[in-house]
């Protein structure tokens, strides 16, 4: 399995876990709480597979950056959270940083 595919699965699982964390209401609801634990377990498993092929700094930057952007989108769309101009600029900078790491940096494993 491709390292970038395992990283994508890690990101997806982390986003699912974090979304369920909001829904768990402080771990007071069973099903969302189980999804949180499972999501993070799967995320760290796939992240560990990713680290066999992609440097830890690059993998973590992409994982955390993409996760942050996706969770922000879910917050806005599913939880009706508001994001202001400064927040949008920050998200754009995160996306730009991940793109620079992947497209221009020689540190990234291609």
């Amino acid at each position: 399995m491709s390292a970038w595919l395992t990283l994508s699965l890690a990101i997806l699982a982390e986003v699912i876990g974090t979304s369920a964390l909001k829904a768990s209401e402080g771990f007071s609801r069973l099903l969302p709480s189980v999804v949180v634990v499972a999501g993070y377990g799967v995320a760290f498993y796939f992240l560990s597979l990713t680290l066999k092929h992609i440097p830890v700094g690059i993998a973590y930057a992409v994982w955390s950056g993409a996760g942050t952007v996706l969770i922000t989108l879910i917050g806005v769309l599913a939880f009706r959270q508001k994001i202001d101009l400064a927040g949008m600029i920050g998200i754009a900078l995160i996306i730009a940083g991940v793109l620079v790491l992947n497209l221009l940096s020689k540190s990234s494993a291609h």
Side-chain angles (χ1 to χ4, degrees):
M1 189 178 299
S2 155
W4 292 104
L5 177 59
T6 59
L7 182 56
S8 297
L9 293 171
I11 293 164
L12 178 63
E14 186 266 336
V15 168
I16 290 168
T18 302
S19 297
L21 187 60
K22 169 76 171 152
S24 78
E25 297 177 10
F27 290 104
S28 65
R29 296 181 58 218
L30 181 60
L31 184 58
S33 298
V34 170
V35 173
V36 170
V37 173
Y40 283 124
V42 169
F44 284 115
Y45 171 73
F46 280 112
L47 183 60
S48 73
L49 296 179
T50 299
L51 297 179
K52 293 179 181 180
H53 306 283
I54 298 174
V56 68
I58 300 299
Y60 191 76
V62 172
W63 183 60
S64 61
T68 300
V69 170
L70 291 172
I71 284 298
T72 301
L73 275 172
I74 289 169
V76 168
L77 298 174
F79 299 116
R80 303 284 185 228
Q81 297 171 345
K82 303 291 183 202
I83 185 167
D84 60 8
L85 180 60
M88 287 188 248
I89 292 169
I91 293 296
L93 290 170
I94 291 170
I95 293 168
V98 169
L99 289 173
V100 166
L101 277 172
N102 282 291
L103 299 175
L104 303 176
S105 174
K106 293 189 185 352
S107 301
S108 183
H110 292 288

